[in-house]
Amino acid sequence: MDDIGFILATYIATFAGSVLLATYYLRRARRLAAQLPPEDKPWI
Amino acid sequence: MTDNAVTHQQVIAAAASPAPTVAGTGQRRASASGTPFTRALGIATIIAMAVLLLFGLFLSPADVVQGESVRILYIHVGTVWVAYVAFGMTAISSAAFLWKRTTSLTWDRIAGASAEVGVLFMALTLFAGALWGRLAWGKFWVWDARVTTTAFLFISYIGYLAVRGLGGSHQQRGRRSAVVALLAVLEIPLVHFSVKLWRGLHQDSSVADTTHVKLHDLMLFSLFLALVAFTLLYAWLVIHRQRVMAMQDALDDKGLDYALQQRRREGDL
C-alpha cells in the first residue's frame, strides 16, 4: 500500500487539528471564567 | 447592554476569587464553557469520529480506479461540508445581527465562532486535497477552477477574521464583519459550481451522479458518517467558541472599571 503515508497524514492532521483547537477553547474558557462572576456565564 | 447587569464589586470579588472548583473536592471544574448538553455532544462526537476512523481506514473497500487513496476523500468531503456549513452559518448570523429586530451581539459571536471553525476545516480540506491530488494527478497543486476558487474562499475568510480583530467597540466589530461575511458567502456558489462552469481536473459530485458512478454501500456509508461526525464536531466547537467570545467581551467591557476600582482600593490602603 504505497499511499499509506498520505492517508495517515490526512487523518492525523485532521484529528490533531481538531483536538488542538478544542483544547485551546477549553483552556481559554477556563482562564476567562476564573475572572468573571456567574452572571456573565448564563449557560452554567 | 443587558449583559452588564453586575456591579463592579461583584466583578472585583469574582476576579479576586480562585478558579471555580468542584464543591467539596478542591478539584478544578472540567470546563468553564461546558454544560450537560455540550458534554453529551462531545461524547457523541468522539464516538462518531472513532467509528469514522474504523470505517474510513479499515472497513470500507478500496476504489476500483483510485485504490486506497479514496480513504482521503472521507476526510476531504467531511471537512469541506463543515466549511460550507460554517460559512453559511456566518452569513445567516451576520444578517441576523444587521437586522434591526435581532441586533444582539450573540449573533455576531456565533458568526465569528463559525467562521473561525470554518477556516480550520477549509485549511484541512486544502491539505487533504493536496495529498489526494499528489496521488491522483501527480501534483500537490494545480490551478484547477475548483481548487483555485476554494483557496480564494479560504483567503477571504482569513480576511474576515482579520477584520474582526480590528479595533473599535463590539457593535462596530459586529457591523463591519457582518458586511464582509455577507460578501464572502457569495463565493460559495462559485466554488460549488466551478466544476460545471469551467473545464478542470477536479471531479464533479460522485454521490449525486447515480447514472455514471455507482458507489459501494460501505463507501456511501463512510461518506455519510463523515458528514455526521464532522457536523457534530462543528457544533461542539462553535458552541464553546461562542461562549469564550462572550466571556472575552464581558471582560473587555468591565476591564477598565475593574482596573479603576483596584487603583481606588490601593489608594485607600
Side-chain angles (χ1 to χ4, degrees):
Chain A
M1 201 155 83
D2 297 336
D3 307 341
I4 187 75
F6 286 82
I7 296 167
L8 285 180
T10 302
Y11 279 76
I12 289 169
T14 303
F15 284 80
S18 304
V19 168
L20 282 175
L21 190 68
T23 308
Y24 169 71
Y25 286 167
L26 290 177
R27 289 173 73 107
R28 199 165 157 75
R30 197 176 290 167
R31 206 167 51 240
L32 289 168
Q35 301 173 60
L36 288 167
E39 289 83 356
D40 282 324
K41 295 168 273 183
W43 53 87
I44 290 180
Chain B
M1 285 182 285
T2 54
D3 292 348
N4 307 339
V6 286
T7 64
H8 298 158
Q9 285 74 19
Q10 282 175 306
V11 175
I12 292 164
S17 64
T21 58
V22 177
T25 64
Q27 292 176 329
R28 290 184 70 170
R29 197 180 291 152
S31 166
S33 53
T35 55
F37 172 73
T38 58
R39 277 187 274 280
L41 187 62
I43 291 167
T45 305
I46 290 169
I47 292 170
M49 283 293 176
V51 177
L52 172 63
L53 209 62
L54 191 67
F55 275 86
L57 286 179
F58 304 107
L59 298 181
S60 71
D63 185 64
V64 178
V65 179
Q66 299 180 32
E68 298 292 343
S69 69
V70 73
R71 300 182 192 286
I72 293 176
L73 295 186
Y74 303 130
I75 297 291
H76 185 63
V77 174
T79 51
V80 80
W81 157 257
V82 164
Y84 280 176
V85 168
F87 296 152
M89 178 58 83
T90 297
I92 292 168
S93 305
S94 297
F97 177 74
L98 288 178
W99 198 35
K100 282 182 181 173
R101 289 184 188 178
T102 54
T103 179
S104 161
L105 275 173
T106 303
W107 288 115
D108 169 60
R109 292 182 201 118
I110 293 171
S114 191
E116 200 172 285
V117 174
V119 163
L120 169 81
F121 282 101
M122 193 49 96
L124 291 170
T125 299
L126 290 168
F127 179 72
L131 295 186
W132 181 86
R134 178 70 179 82
L135 295 172
W137 304 332
K139 286 183 175 181
F140 285 108
W141 182 265
V142 288
W143 292 103
D144 166 83
R146 170 64 70 80
V147 179
T148 308
T149 51
T150 304
F152 191 62
L153 183 69
F154 174 62
I155 291 165
S156 298
Y157 276 90
I158 288 180
Y160 168 84
L161 294 180
V163 167
R164 287 189 69 82
L166 296 175
S169 69
H170 298 148
Q171 289 289 337
Q172 285 172 328
R173 175 194 70 192
R175 279 195 297 274
R176 208 165 37 205
S177 53
V179 172
V180 176
L182 290 176
L183 289 173
V185 78
L186 298 177
E187 292 174 48
I188 291 180
L190 185 71
V191 174
H192 188 72
F193 292 111
S194 59
V195 286
K196 296 186 191 301
L197 293 171
W198 296 287
R199 190 192 298 264
L201 276 173
H202 198 287
Q203 69 205 60
D204 202 350
S205 170
S206 304
V207 178
D209 183 10
T210 51
T211 52
H212 298 97
V213 184
K214 179 78 181 85
L215 283 177
H216 190 283
D217 287 346
L218 276 177
M219 285 181 174
L220 206 57
F221 179 73
S222 301
L223 270 177
F224 176 72
L225 195 63
L227 299 187
V228 172
F230 281 108
T231 304
L232 290 173
L233 177 62
Y234 161 77
W236 189 93
L237 287 171
V238 168
I239 290 170
H240 280 271
R241 181 58 178 135
Q242 190 272 133
R243 288 173 181 171
V244 168
M245 283 179 169
M247 287 191 282
Q248 185 65 62
D249 284 354
L251 206 61
D252 288 346
D253 288 340
K254 290 157 188 166
L256 185 61
D257 293 339
Y258 169 58
L260 287 170
Q261 289 283 341
Q262 204 170 32
R263 282 294 170 91
R264 286 197 190 107
R265 278 176 45 173
E266 285 169 6
D268 291 343
L269 291 175

